[in-house]
Amino acid sequence: MPIPLPRRASALATMAVSLLALSACAEERTPDAAASPPSPSAPAAPPTPGAPQAVMPDGAPEGVASGLVTPWSVAFADTAMLVSERDTGRILEVVDGGLRTVGEVPDVAARGEGGLLGIAVADGELFAYVTTPDGNRVVGFPLDGAAGAFALGEPRTLVDGIPASNIHNGGRLAFGPDGMLYVTTGDASDPELAQDPDSLAGKILRIAPDGSIPNDNPFAGSPVWSLGHRNPQGIGWDAAGTMFASEFGQDTWDELNIIEPGGNYGWPTVEGVGGDPRYVDPVQQWAPADASPSGLTVVEGTVFVANLRGERLRGIPTSDPTTSTEYFVGEFGRLRDAVVGPGGELYVVTSDTDRGNGGVDDILRVPLTAG
């Protein structure tokens, strides 16, 4: 049964807004939005013949699970919903609207924006991006048992040596249509690392599920797929194989990028559309006060992006990714992740507990209709 959504009292909402306005945070900057220059116009992309139809929310979301603590990522093992909690290091399974612990990931160093971050599932194995005392790493766990009774097996490390910091850890995992595992990494508070081809910071990585480096990666012997990123947070693909990524900017622009193998996205030289031929410009940019784009997913012909500071869900048509529509602005607080379910349904994860704002965190199912 759907879980009734908790009512967020206006006093709590006012308090949360006040705290955000007073705090300076790496993932949610507090610049004067009016001081930002207007977004340059980008040429509209021509519609792709035969592309899936855009979809949009249709009615109020319904609660699927509640009472989570700093939830960060959702993945599915067949139809079973699994959730990572950043600060507790727990992997949870949603069972009949309740939560059970699948396992606790070892060596999690939960500090600032670090901890247990993205998860992904493939071929009976759960993959996790983890901040440890020695840096960020990607680990894999066999998923023992069956839905309703999953447990984590012994871990194996796929990638380590990813620089970590209290902020800018990246952390999203997703399997691409090519069966490879893609990993977002932040600049770990050292912007110059994003341009260093020998560093794993400020990159999107591509590895095989066994941890090996694919032969067709753009840099021989390297897991780096793209570089010049500040703190990429969401990745997903449309039906044509186009890869989208959301990214936190610094003071001026947050970004939606189309990722090209070997592409350089300009950080720290460029933030937002720079027009510099050395770098790939974003297809869309937003003022940080309205965004802090986190997890994203593609459903039919729409890219859905969860926004933290902006407290909204954005829908971006894949046929014209220079445009977008906003939904649920301020209704559910900060939104951490957007994920497509096994039946094509959309789920959104709220993220209020990670800032000490009180309240609760939920997973919501968003009904969709053709746009």
Side-chain angles (χ1 to χ4, degrees):
M1 287 182 62
I3 296 173
L5 298 183
R7 297 180 62 85
R8 287 171 166 79
S10 60
L12 283 175
T14 301
M15 183 183 299
V17 171
S18 299
L19 287 171
L20 283 172
L22 291 172
S23 63
C25 167
E27 95 175 359
E28 298 170 29
R29 290 76 51 211
T30 54
D32 179 359
S36 297
S39 175
S41 297
T48 302
Q53 187 173 8
V55 293
M56 59 186 291
D58 180 24
E62 62 180 15
V64 173
S66 189
L68 294 111
V69 179
T70 59
W72 211 90
S73 179
V74 168
F76 288 88
D78 294 324
T79 59
M81 177 184 288
L82 305 177
V83 190
S84 65
E85 288 187 326
R86 185 189 69 189
D87 293 350
T88 69
R90 296 187 302 173
I91 301 293
L92 304 176
E93 183 179 6
V94 179
V95 181
D96 297 328
L99 299 167
R100 62 170 296 271
T101 300
V102 174
E104 189 169 326
V105 174
D107 300 325
V108 172
R111 58 180 187 270
E113 296 171 10
L116 173 58
L117 303 180
I119 57 174
V121 175
D123 297 328
E125 189 169 13
L126 181 139
F127 300 83
Y129 188 102
V130 186
T131 306
T132 75
D134 300 322
N136 291 312
R137 65 180 63 159
V138 179
V139 295
F141 299 86
L143 266 179
D144 297 332
F150 279 126
L152 298 182
E154 290 298 312
R156 64 186 179 94
T157 299
L158 283 76
V159 182
D160 57 11
I162 303 171
S165 175
N166 285 351
I167 57 176
H168 302 185
N169 290 289
R172 195 67 60 184
L173 301 181
F175 279 92
D178 55 4
M180 298 294 132
L181 180 60
Y182 291 76
V183 182
T184 75
T185 73
D187 68 11
S189 304
D190 186 348
E192 299 306 320
L193 292 180
Q195 291 294 327
D196 181 352
D198 295 325
S199 172
L200 298 183
K203 310 294 192 297
I204 294 177
L205 312 180
R206 177 180 182 255
I207 59 174
D210 63 2
S212 63
I213 297 171
N215 291 331
D216 57 348
N217 272 11
F219 307 104
S222 170
V224 172
W225 187 247
S226 62
L227 69 159
H229 298 287
R230 181 176 182 268
N231 196 13
Q233 288 286 295
I235 47 178
W237 293 260
D238 68 9
T242 301
M243 183 180 182
F244 295 88
S246 58
E247 183 162 343
F248 290 147
Q250 180 169 268
D251 298 317
T252 309
W253 297 118
D254 292 333
E255 301 177 354
L256 177 71
N257 288 297
I258 289 179
I259 302 301
E260 303 170 1
N264 188 327
Y265 290 79
W267 177 255
T269 304
V270 176
E271 179 183 354
V273 176
D276 188 322
R278 295 175 297 172
Y279 307 120
V280 182
D281 278 339
V283 292
Q284 193 167 162
Q285 60 188 20
W286 308 286
D290 300 326
S292 291
S294 189
L296 70 75
T297 192
V298 183
V299 185
E300 297 293 335
T302 302
V303 181
F304 287 105
V305 183
N307 290 265
L308 288 160
R309 187 178 171 198
E311 297 188 354
R312 67 199 67 187
L313 179 71
R314 272 194 176 83
I316 298 150
T318 58
S319 61
D320 184 4
T322 67
T323 65
S324 62
T325 303
E326 299 176 354
Y327 304 100
F328 314 124
V329 179
E331 292 185 31
F332 301 105
R334 295 154 46 83
L335 303 182
R336 171 67 67 181
D337 197 13
V339 60
V340 61
E345 62 275 26
L346 175 65
Y347 296 90
V348 174
V349 179
T350 72
S351 187
D352 284 325
T353 55
D354 72 330
R355 283 288 177 262
N357 294 335
V360 295
D361 278 330
D362 314 301
I363 299 174
L364 313 175
R365 182 188 293 113
V366 181
L368 299 174
T369 188

